[in-house]
Amino acid sequence: MKVSLINLIDSKVSRFRQSIGLSDSEAVNLKSLLLKLNVLTVYRPLSESFFGMSLKSGERRFMLINSNGPRSRQHFTIAHELYHLFIEENPVPHKCSEDGKKDASEQCADAFALNFLMPANGVKQLIPENELISGVVSLGTVIRIEHYFSVSRAATLNRLSDLKLIDRPTKEKLASFPVVRSAREYGYDTSLYEPGNENLVIGDFGAKARKLFDEEKISEGHYLELLHKIGVDGSEN
């Protein structure tokens, strides 16, 4: 990616963080952000190669996230889709998957996700001074960074590489350590690397359906049908 495009993405991330009340260093609580931005988000178990998708119609925004993927992958996909929903000028319906060559839009969305989830100042603040001076970032620091920002090992190493904080040999060496085992050995919870959030729904769809029912604008059957669309069994006690 060209330097000019990278600088443009950096600028867009900075403005977006500012618009949602985030500093240039703190981690993002994505579930709270999705609720704040009123993005209806549905987690469903999908095929391995399908990460997620997003749709925008006027001011209405929707995301579908694969709950079969590791939570760290889910976080990256959400940040990727935020680019399409809030930054890209003319987003078109698409799916985020691992197959095929990525076009310019998808590359920008990936760059945005890395920068948004791991802002440069925040990353540097987590690296001990002696490691910044020596230019040798330890495995323990890498794991600390990935858990602070709730991202994958691969994303962390890519970001450190983009920021020129590690060179290629160091990146390859750090990538050789087993992710789950190394995190466990350093005392971290390993749920970040596991699937989760199956059938979770974030948004006010259910609240709006309930309001229509309470105002007697829809029948109980229609209300239950709407809840069923987001994986909620409204007939249960």
Side-chain angles (χ1 to χ4, degrees):
M1 186 176 290
K2 296 180 179 179
V3 173
S4 58
L5 191 54
I6 293 174
N7 290 336
L8 179 61
I9 293 296
D10 288 349
S11 175
K12 290 182 180 294
V13 167
S14 179
R15 287 199 297 270
F16 184 62
R17 276 183 156 262
Q18 187 176 39
S19 72
I20 59 177
L22 286 175
S23 72
D24 64 353
S25 62
E26 65 187 297
V28 186
N29 184 322
L30 288 169
K31 290 177 181 176
S32 295
L33 179 60
L34 289 169
L35 194 60
K36 179 178 181 178
L37 296 176
N38 197 27
V39 179
L40 176 60
T41 306
V42 178
Y43 294 75
R44 289 287 187 271
L46 304 168
S47 66
E48 183 178 344
S49 62
F50 186 94
F51 301 138
M53 63 171 290
S54 64
L55 297 170
K56 179 181 178 181
S57 177
E59 293 303 310
R60 297 177 182 178
R61 296 175 174 88
F62 169 79
M63 274 191 207
L64 176 65
I65 304 298
N66 186 0
S67 61
N68 280 337
R71 288 177 174 87
S72 57
R73 175 69 239 191
Q74 295 174 25
H75 298 158
F76 187 87
T77 299
I78 290 170
H80 174 106
E81 298 302 337
L82 285 173
Y83 173 84
H84 292 304
L85 293 177
F86 290 93
I87 307 301
E88 194 171 27
E89 291 187 5
N90 298 300
V92 295
H94 74 287
K95 66 177 183 178
C96 182
S97 60
E98 64 180 358
D99 55 337
K101 185 177 180 181
K102 294 187 177 182
D103 59 21
S105 173
E106 291 299 284
Q107 291 179 41
C108 286
D110 280 351
F112 176 89
L114 272 182
N115 193 316
F116 178 64
L117 293 174
M118 291 176 281
N121 286 343
V123 171
K124 292 174 183 177
Q125 288 174 13
L126 292 174
I127 301 176
E129 188 175 300
N130 65 303
E131 294 185 11
L132 285 173
I133 293 173
S134 67
V136 180
V137 179
S138 68
L139 176 61
T141 295
V142 170
I143 298 174
R144 182 186 181 201
I145 292 171
E146 69 192 49
H147 277 264
Y148 179 79
F149 293 113
S150 296
V151 294
S152 69
R153 181 71 51 82
T156 303
L157 295 178
N158 285 337
R159 186 61 172 146
L160 290 171
S161 178
D162 289 346
L163 294 172
K164 310 299 182 185
L165 294 170
I166 57 173
D167 56 22
R168 178 169 298 206
T170 301
K171 180 181 178 181
E172 292 175 352
K173 178 182 178 181
L174 291 168
S176 69
F177 292 98
V179 174
V180 176
R181 189 176 75 186
S182 60
R184 187 181 296 117
E185 289 174 348
Y186 277 81
Y188 288 88
D189 174 43
T190 59
S191 61
L192 179 64
Y193 317 108
E194 300 168 356
N197 300 311
E198 183 172 338
N199 295 325
L200 174 67
V201 177
I202 298 173
D204 61 356
F205 183 91
K208 287 181 177 178
R210 180 69 195 195
K211 185 173 185 293
L212 290 173
F213 175 63
D214 288 342
E215 293 175 351
E216 299 183 349
K217 293 181 178 179
I218 60 174
S219 66
E220 181 177 6
H222 190 186
Y223 169 59
L224 295 177
E225 181 184 346
L226 291 174
L227 291 183
H228 181 70
K229 290 181 181 295
I230 57 173
V232 177
D233 187 350
S235 63
E236 291 183 348
N237 294 325

